[in-house]
């Protein structure tokens, strides 16, 4: 149970790159006012579904034996806080400062103090506000924080009442999935009972299954999950099967759950040689995920301005080469943020904070 699961790190990196490619198509096609080859990665948003399932798995995998032990709560909260907030605050503050000195300088002052506070605390709010004023992908972190709070509640209060509340919440999410929960357009209730929350539960179930069972057909689980994912991607592209309301959970949540179970068993039972660059991209995935939107937007503007100064270069260089170069630079800069900011920051905070806890 203490073995580092490198395969999951590789998947984490791939998921982050898929999100970058998906957003790259949207941002760069708008910036250059033409379609890009990145359109073939329009399904890249499924990386978010993987992150949710993986988060549920990791939390339960590592902390399942902390449930009902209040003395473990402080360490749990500290680990989660250090992992999410410090880098996020740095990136968010940088985005706000950059906005003040760019064409968007009037956006932040017009934003209410409540929205700014919600953004810094990662409380759920309108995604349009996040996309315009703050960090667009931070809406996913709000779900992460909500899940951490629920799990922290189980660590602090592992009682029949607390477990009944969690079961009732899961039942409410399922009912809302089929539009059977009378919550209307209430923003907060729709967030609490959103279908994305079930993907965290799927991850927890995957960790529980691994801790209680031994699957012999681990390779079959991986192949089955990949086959289902390919089918789902094709369906996403062409929309052959409309499963209105539950495409993410069924089409991607379940296959990702099978992929994680099969991969964990495979890595536990055999030695797998994985290129270090893939593991590194997994380690850097959070930095890449947080910064790619800002980098894609601004790098594309810089490259576009440089190329327009030379009409010869603008006509000679293939447009899609520029697009993929922009994506490569954005990923490289995000990785640099991990190496020179995120990693040292986390190490220093953990050493200082956990020295006091222990």
């Amino acid at each position: 149970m203490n073995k580092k699961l490198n395969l999951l790190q590789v998947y984490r990196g791939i998921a982050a790159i898929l999100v970058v490619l998906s957003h790259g198509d949207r941002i760069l096609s708008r910036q250059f006012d033409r379609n890009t080859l990145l359109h073939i990665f329009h399904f890249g948003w499924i990386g978010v579904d993987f992150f949710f399932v993986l988060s549920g798995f990791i939390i339960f995998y590592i902390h399942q034996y902390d449930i009902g032990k209040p003395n473990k709560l402080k360490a749990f909260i500290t680990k989660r806080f250090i992992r999410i907030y410090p880098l996020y605050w740095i990136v968010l503050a940088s985005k706000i400062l950059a906005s003040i000195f760019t064409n968007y300088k009037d956006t932040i002052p017009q934003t209410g103090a409540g929205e700014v506070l919600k953004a810094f605390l990662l409380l759920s709010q309108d995604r349009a506000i996040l996309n315009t004023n703050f960090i667009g992908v931070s809406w996913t972190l709000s779900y992460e924080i909500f899940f951490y709070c629920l799990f922290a509640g189980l660590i602090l209060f592992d009682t029949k009442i607390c477990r009944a509340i969690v079961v009732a919440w899961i039942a409410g999410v399922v009912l809302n999935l089929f539009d059977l929960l009378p919550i209307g357009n209430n923003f907060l209730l729709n967030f609490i009972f959103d279908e994305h929350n079930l993907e965290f539960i799927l991850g927890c179930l995957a960790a529980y299954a691994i801790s209680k069972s031994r699957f012999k057909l681990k390779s079959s689980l991986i192949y089955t999950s990949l086959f289902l994912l390919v089918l789902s991607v094709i369906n996403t592209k062409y929309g052959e099967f409309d499963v209105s309301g539950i495409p993410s959970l069924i089409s991607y949540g379940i296959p990702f759950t099978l992929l994680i179970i099969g991969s964990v068993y495979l890595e536990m039972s055999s030695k797998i040689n994985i290129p270090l660059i893939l593991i590194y991209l997994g380690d850097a995935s959070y930095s890449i995920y947080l910064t790619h939107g800002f980098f894609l937007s601004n790098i594309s503007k810089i490259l576009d301005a440089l190329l327009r100064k030379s009409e010869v270069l603008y006509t000679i260089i293939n447009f899609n080469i520029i697009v993929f170069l922009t994506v490569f630079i954005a990923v490289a800069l995000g990785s640099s943020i991990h190496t020179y900011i995120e990693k040292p920051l986390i190490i220093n905070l953990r050493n200082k904070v956990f020295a006091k806890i222990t």
Side-chain angles (χ1 to χ4, degrees):
M1 294 292 287
N2 294 322
K3 182 178 181 180
K4 184 177 181 181
L5 303 173
N6 289 325
L7 267 179
L8 297 189
Q9 280 299 90
V10 172
Y11 297 156
R12 194 196 297 266
I14 293 174
I17 299 300
L18 283 175
V19 173
V20 174
L21 292 170
S22 176
H23 289 166
D25 173 52
R26 193 185 318 162
I27 293 171
L28 300 182
S29 61
R30 182 175 64 243
Q31 172 63 32
F32 294 110
D33 195 26
R34 64 178 83 176
N35 294 327
T36 77
L37 278 179
L38 293 179
H39 184 64
I40 62 178
F41 298 104
H42 74 289
F43 63 89
W45 51 265
I46 70 173
V48 172
D49 294 287
F50 177 77
F51 286 140
F52 286 162
V53 178
L54 181 63
S55 292
F57 172 82
I58 293 296
I59 294 301
F60 196 89
Y61 182 79
I62 296 175
H63 297 285
Q64 60 182 301
Y65 300 111
D66 294 341
I67 293 176
K69 299 178 181 178
N71 61 310
K72 298 289 186 179
L73 180 64
K74 188 174 182 180
F76 173 79
I77 293 176
T78 302
K79 285 181 181 179
R80 295 302 99 205
F81 178 88
I82 291 175
R83 185 69 184 90
I84 297 292
Y85 279 105
L87 179 66
Y88 170 72
W89 281 341
I90 291 174
V91 175
L92 178 60
S94 300
K95 169 70 183 297
I96 291 175
L97 289 175
S99 297
I100 293 174
F101 297 102
T102 63
N103 295 332
Y104 304 103
K105 61 184 179 181
D106 295 327
T107 302
I108 298 299
Q110 292 177 357
T111 303
E115 281 75 19
V116 175
L117 181 62
K118 287 180 181 179
F120 271 92
L121 295 179
L122 286 173
L123 301 178
S124 180
Q125 63 177 309
D126 194 304
R127 288 170 63 175
I129 295 176
L130 296 177
N131 287 327
T132 304
N133 302 348
F134 305 113
I135 300 175
V137 297
S138 63
W139 69 270
T140 63
L141 300 182
S142 298
Y143 286 95
E144 293 273 353
I145 298 301
F146 177 61
F147 172 66
Y148 296 160
C149 290
L150 285 176
F151 201 90
L154 288 176
I155 293 176
L156 186 60
F157 305 109
D158 183 28
T159 63
K160 290 183 179 180
I161 294 177
C162 187
R163 292 193 178 197
I165 292 173
V166 172
V167 171
W169 166 70
I170 295 174
V173 176
V174 173
L175 289 174
N176 192 44
L177 187 67
F178 296 99
D179 294 324
L180 298 176
L181 199 66
I183 57 177
N185 294 322
N186 187 289
F187 182 83
L188 180 59
L189 290 179
N190 275 286
F191 169 77
I192 293 173
F193 296 104
D194 189 274
E195 67 176 78
H196 284 105
N197 291 308
L198 284 180
E199 293 180 322
F200 293 102
I201 303 303
L202 287 176
C204 291
L205 291 175
Y208 180 80
I210 288 172
S211 65
K212 300 298 181 180
S213 307
R214 289 293 177 266
F215 291 87
K216 296 181 180 180
L217 303 176
K218 44 188 173 290
S219 297
S220 297
L221 284 176
I222 295 175
Y223 295 141
T224 299
S225 67
L226 294 177
F227 175 73
L228 293 174
L229 286 171
V230 170
L231 287 182
S232 296
V233 168
I234 294 174
N235 184 49
T236 297
K237 173 66 176 177
Y238 298 105
E240 295 294 333
F241 306 101
D242 181 12
V243 288
S244 57
I246 55 174
S248 294
L249 180 67
I250 301 300
S251 300
Y252 298 107
I254 292 176
F256 282 139
T257 302
L258 297 178
L259 178 64
I260 288 173
I261 294 174
S263 299
V264 170
Y265 274 126
L266 180 63
E267 194 160 8
M268 283 182 168
S269 61
S270 58
K271 184 178 180 180
I272 303 175
N273 294 318
I274 301 173
L276 293 178
I277 183 63
L278 295 181
I279 298 175
Y280 172 77
L281 284 175
D283 294 339
S285 60
Y286 185 50
S287 293
I288 294 171
Y289 186 69
L290 282 181
T291 62
H292 73 273
F294 177 82
F295 286 140
L296 285 171
S297 179
N298 289 280
I299 293 168
S300 62
K301 291 176 183 177
I302 294 172
L303 290 178
D304 188 42
L306 291 175
L307 289 171
R308 289 186 183 278
K309 288 184 177 181
S310 173
E311 292 188 7
V312 176
L313 281 177
Y314 202 79
T315 55
I316 292 177
I317 297 179
N318 185 282
F319 167 70
N320 283 299
I321 293 178
I322 301 172
V323 167
F324 281 99
L325 176 62
T326 302
V327 170
F328 176 81
I329 295 174
V331 172
L333 290 175
S335 300
S336 298
I337 296 294
H338 165 72
T339 300
Y340 298 108
I341 297 179
E342 179 189 13
K343 189 175 179 180
L345 181 64
I346 289 178
I347 291 174
N348 288 330
L349 286 174
R350 282 178 177 172
N351 288 340
K352 292 178 179 179
V353 175
F354 281 102
K356 294 179 179 179
I357 292 177
T358 56

